[in-house]
Amino acid sequence: ENHDATTQEQVQEKQKKSQGQQLLSSFPTLKLPKLNYFLHHLPCKHPEEKLNAPPTTQSSLIPTSSSTITPSTNTGLSSMVSTQIISNSNTENHYVYKGIQHNPPEITKRGISRGNYAQLHRKAWLEVSDKYHRYGKNLRLYYKHWESLGHPTNMFFEWLDSKGEAAGWEKPNLSECPRSVLDSDRVLYIMDQEAQNRYLLKIKLVEETTSEEESIAATALQSPTTSMTQIVDYNGDVVRTGPNGWIFVLRDHELYGAEKCTRYGGNSKLRFHHSSFFGGKAVAAAGILITDDNGCLKRLYPHSGHYRPGEAHMQRMLFYLYQSNVDLDSFEVDMQQIMHVSREVRDKRTPKGGSNVEPTTAKKVNNSDTSNSGGCGDGPSTKKAKKTESLHLKNATFVALFLAHKAKLIRVGVLSMIRKIRSIHTSKRSVRNILNVIDEGGFWHRNDTHQML
């Protein structure tokens, strides 16, 4: 009997060792020659497929087999289940604007059931709730003033526009943002599908032009014809964004893009922002893309003040591009938000910069800022540098693999274990204490081996 018990203990010990080896071997290195690992850890639900249940926990995709998957055979990946958190909407829903009908506005939830999980940030809720869609930054100034008055009329937009006129009250007019600026500075919100389709972008696969000598040499060597992808607009014309790029949104597995318009003037031209494409509805991803003169994608920025795209949104965009045969080695992605790179504070104060700026200088800069962007200041603050001035560019393949590895580390609980270990005081980080914390006693409590140590 003692011999049988010893043999059983040895079998259990071997099983534990083999499980540990399997766990370690399940972590592939970043030097993968293929993108199959990246594909297995990307949300890729087809737009027509409805999710069985909305994501509620911060975990990762369930990985499938490690077989190599090519763009031509990845259609079956749409059956994978994504349990990764893909929106910060849950963290935003606790915020409430008094005096508006819905928090968040109902329109911001449209499209979620089809896999469009990026919702408008709460700072844009006033803008989308306003029937005139006046610029949100200006509306927030008036909202703060309305709060300081004790919420008269209980409804913000009634107080802002009409309520009280019958009693002889004048419409609110703030010196920091005159009423004329508030009413004229508006954002275009497109609700007509026909108009939305005019901003549709397609990715076209074309053969690269080579010289006659190179073509003859390639034919003789029987090498495959090289090809590249171009981004074309609704009319089939090549998209040349220039250095500033175009804003884009990804929705229902379709890409939409246009030049951003942040100015208004005498011609009352409306602003065109990320929220303009679908009138504030939810999207799958948003940001800025930059192409060269041939229409080839060169840079991708996850920059959007309205949608605040996160890691999962970037994953979806990269997966869409990979499905569209775009070579992920051919362009770069800004990772300053993913890597939490801090933007440096500007040396000079902005128009909202506070007491260090002389009044005359501040007034001069303020006029210049208004003519460029049309916005009014939110109040005294030190402004950070623009995102485009502090880029942290990485190859898109590296970004895809980085996000895939991070997703798996979350799924198997490695990052959770690290957080628990860091919560232990440095002086008490013994092996026993660490194992007690991350494994709740685990092996030690079950076998009473801790009494022998």
Side-chain angles (χ1 to χ4, degrees):
E1 290 176 358
N2 292 336
H3 177 71
D4 292 339
T6 306
T7 305
Q8 190 175 1
E9 287 178 2
Q10 290 175 350
V11 171
Q12 290 177 352
E13 190 72 17
K14 288 181 179 179
Q15 287 177 349
K16 288 177 182 178
K17 286 183 179 179
S18 63
Q19 289 174 359
Q21 290 173 355
Q22 288 176 4
L23 180 62
L24 290 173
S25 63
S26 65
F27 290 93
T29 63
L30 279 173
K31 297 179 180 180
L32 288 178
K34 302 286 185 181
L35 285 174
N36 56 306
Y37 184 71
F38 156 62
L39 291 173
H40 287 310
H41 292 77
L42 279 178
C44 54
K45 296 293 291 182
H46 192 273
E48 295 180 359
E49 294 178 6
K50 291 187 178 180
L51 294 175
N52 296 327
T56 55
T57 58
Q58 184 171 356
S59 58
S60 173
L61 294 175
I62 299 173
T64 58
S65 63
S66 58
S67 58
T68 302
I69 299 172
T70 60
S72 59
T73 60
N74 60 15
T75 53
L77 289 176
S78 60
S79 61
M80 292 198 309
V81 181
S82 171
T83 57
Q84 183 180 20
I85 186 167
I86 26 198
S87 174
N88 61 353
S89 58
N90 292 336
T91 59
E92 296 293 342
N93 285 345
H94 71 277
Y95 189 89
V96 175
Y97 278 106
K98 294 182 180 179
I100 66 174
Q101 292 183 346
H102 301 285
N103 285 276
E106 288 297 321
I107 195 171
T108 63
K109 303 175 185 178
R110 295 184 187 176
I112 292 178
S113 62
R114 298 193 303 276
N116 304 297
Y117 297 104
Q119 291 181 255
L120 280 182
H121 189 262
R122 62 177 175 82
K123 285 190 174 183
W125 290 356
L126 290 176
E127 180 181 297
V128 73
S129 300
D130 182 17
K131 62 181 179 180
Y132 303 111
H133 301 302
R134 287 165 287 197
Y135 187 35
K137 192 174 182 181
N138 301 338
L139 285 172
R140 290 196 300 272
L141 282 174
Y142 279 82
Y143 183 83
K144 289 177 183 177
H145 179 62
W146 179 68
E147 279 187 318
S148 68
L149 296 177
H151 310 98
T153 75
N154 293 325
M155 297 303 290
F156 171 65
F157 289 107
E158 287 184 0
W159 166 82
L160 185 65
D161 293 322
S162 59
K163 200 75 171 178
E165 282 187 315
W169 299 355
E170 292 185 1
K171 288 184 178 181
N173 190 3
L174 301 179
S175 58
E176 58 266 38
C177 184
R179 184 75 193 206
S180 58
V181 174
L182 173 70
D183 291 337
S184 60
D185 191 3
R186 298 186 296 136
V187 181
L188 177 63
Y189 273 57
I190 304 173
M191 305 304 294
D192 179 54
Q193 187 174 356
E194 228 179 272
Q196 291 166 351
N197 289 338
R198 296 187 194 126
Y199 298 97
L200 188 64
L201 302 180
K202 292 292 183 183
I203 297 177
K204 185 173 66 173
L205 190 65
V206 295
E207 292 184 5
E208 290 187 23
T209 56
T210 56
S211 64
E212 186 177 351
E213 294 178 358
E214 290 176 343
S215 299
I216 295 172
T219 306
L221 294 172
Q222 296 183 349
S223 59
T225 307
T226 56
S227 59
M228 64 178 183
T229 51
Q230 286 181 328
I231 300 179
V232 297
D233 61 14
Y234 179 71
N235 298 317
D237 297 327
V238 174
V239 172
R240 300 177 177 88
T241 64
N244 294 328
W246 280 16
I247 59 173
F248 75 86
V249 296
L250 181 68
R251 193 172 196 269
D252 293 337
H253 212 64
E254 295 284 359
L255 185 64
Y256 300 81
E259 188 176 357
K260 184 176 182 179
C261 179
T262 57
R263 301 185 181 189
Y264 80 99
N267 57 356
S268 298
K269 187 176 181 180
L270 300 178
R271 291 173 177 263
F272 196 99
H273 292 170
H274 286 99
S275 58
S276 300
F277 291 104
F278 290 94
K281 296 177 184 177
V283 299
I288 298 173
L289 56 86
I290 297 177
T291 63
D292 60 15
D293 291 338
N294 295 320
C296 300
L297 182 63
K298 290 302 176 186
R299 286 186 178 183
L300 192 69
Y301 302 158
H303 301 171
S304 172
H306 280 78
Y307 286 103
R308 308 292 173 94
E311 295 179 5
H313 307 139
M314 182 51 57
Q315 280 185 303
R316 284 184 172 270
M317 184 61 189
L318 291 175
F319 183 71
Y320 167 79
L321 293 171
Y322 185 80
Q323 278 189 317
S324 303
N325 296 306
V326 178
D327 181 9
L328 297 188
D329 283 325
S330 65
F331 66 96
E332 296 176 309
V333 179
D334 179 29
M335 289 189 70
Q336 62 178 298
Q337 183 177 356
I338 296 173
M339 301 296 290
H340 303 287
V341 178
S342 177
R343 286 183 281 160
E344 294 182 1
V345 177
R346 292 180 182 175
D347 293 334
K348 295 181 180 180
R349 293 288 185 123
T350 64
K352 313 145 206 169
S355 58
N356 287 350
V357 181
E358 296 180 5
T360 54
T361 308
K363 185 176 181 181
K364 182 178 179 181
V365 178
N366 193 23
N367 291 339
S368 173
D369 183 73
T370 304
S371 64
N372 289 336
S373 64
C376 301
D378 278 334
S381 63
T382 303
K383 194 156 186 175
K384 292 182 179 180
K386 292 180 179 179
K387 291 180 182 178
T388 52
E389 295 175 357
S390 54
L391 297 173
H392 192 71
L393 296 173
K394 292 289 183 182
N395 178 272
T397 302
F398 171 86
V399 178
L401 293 174
F402 173 86
L403 294 176
H405 278 268
K406 184 175 180 180
K408 187 166 185 179
L409 290 172
I410 292 172
R411 183 182 67 81
V412 300
V414 172
L415 297 186
S416 176
M417 291 180 185
I418 292 173
R419 280 195 295 270
K420 289 180 180 178
I421 293 172
R422 292 181 66 182
S423 67
I424 305 173
H425 193 272
T426 310
S427 61
K428 297 181 179 180
R429 285 183 189 170
S430 64
V431 175
R432 181 183 297 176
N433 289 340
I434 290 174
L435 289 173
N436 282 336
V437 168
I438 66 174
D439 197 27
E440 296 179 355
F443 177 81
W444 310 97
H445 284 206
R446 285 194 300 270
N447 295 277
D448 292 331
T449 54
H450 62 284
Q451 295 178 359
M452 301 171 61
L453 297 178

